[in-house]
Amino acid sequence: QQRHYVMSRVVLEAQGISKAFKEDGMQTVEVLKNVSLSIERAEFVAIVGSSGSGKSTLLHILGGLDVPTQGKVTVLGQNLSALNEVKRGELRNRHLGFVYQFHHLLAEFTALENVCMPLLLRQESTVKQAEQAAKTLLERVGLGHRMLHKPAELSGGERQRVALARALVTKPDVVLADEPTGNLDHHTALEVQHLFKELKQELGMSLIIVTHDLNLAQTADRILTMQSGELV
């Protein structure tokens, strides 16, 4: 099966994903209803929809940060839902990168140290190797002159570019981004939007972005619309 996925263009697939939560301990609320999709290698997919439509829940399940009530997600042929928390964490670190609306950088570390972190967690790279990979990416996102600054010393756009470099440093197969321009002014959002497109083409990664930003969505290869927990 693994060999089939190496040959296949599909890198991530969801089949019949449903997610329900119990509200107030009583009523069950269905957030996702039988969602199926597949993402090909180097494809850029935008997921749009109103607040509460289930976009972020779907992204978290696709990235193995949450598990579905029903259905399954496969990443490069591995069933995410069937893995325990440790194995799921290993697969996320090896194959997936995440960018959020709020950058979630570690305040006490420099930009360079923040970007090094995912590689050092793997315990396969030396500090020197991790630093070199991080420097290369920070230079690529236009922050070569800011890499020794801490997040508080960076602008919102600079912090988001550090977060993007951190997501890319492990050379993931798929980057998942949740409202990556949602906290930025219009000019900075456009800069980050162009950066996503350029990096996707350069690095050949797949990109799944949940967004309200129609400018960003329109740069995607494919736009999926969610409504009341379903793809429409």
Side-chain angles (χ1 to χ4, degrees), residues 107-161:
E108 64 273 29
F109 294 99
T110 64
L112 182 66
E113 289 165 336
N114 267 284
V115 177
C116 284
M117 208 70 71
L119 280 178
L120 296 176
L121 286 172
R122 278 189 184 182
Q123 300 178 329
E124 291 173 6
S125 303
T126 65
V127 172
K128 194 171 180 181
Q129 287 168 331
E131 281 186 352
Q132 189 51 56
K135 279 177 184 173
T136 300
L137 265 175
L138 283 166
E139 283 164 4
R140 175 60 194 80
V141 300
L143 290 177
H145 61 304
R146 306 287 276 163
M147 59 179 75
L148 298 182
H149 289 66
K150 291 184 177 177
E153 301 166 313
L154 301 172
S155 71
E158 286 171 336
R159 288 195 288 265
Q160 195 58 300
R161 282 186 274 159

Side-chain angles (χ1 to χ4, degrees), residues 12 18 20 61 73 142 148 159 168 171-172 206:
L12 188 150
S18 294
I61 288 173
V73 174
L148 298 182
R159 288 195 288 265
L168 295 171
K171 298 183 179 170
S206 304

Side-chain angles (χ1 to χ4, degrees), residues 19-23 27-31 57 66 69:
K19 182 70 177 179
F21 294 101
K22 275 214 168 17
E23 202 174 62
Q27 192 178 358
T28 299
V29 178
E30 267 198 297
V31 182
T57 302
D66 196 0
T69 310

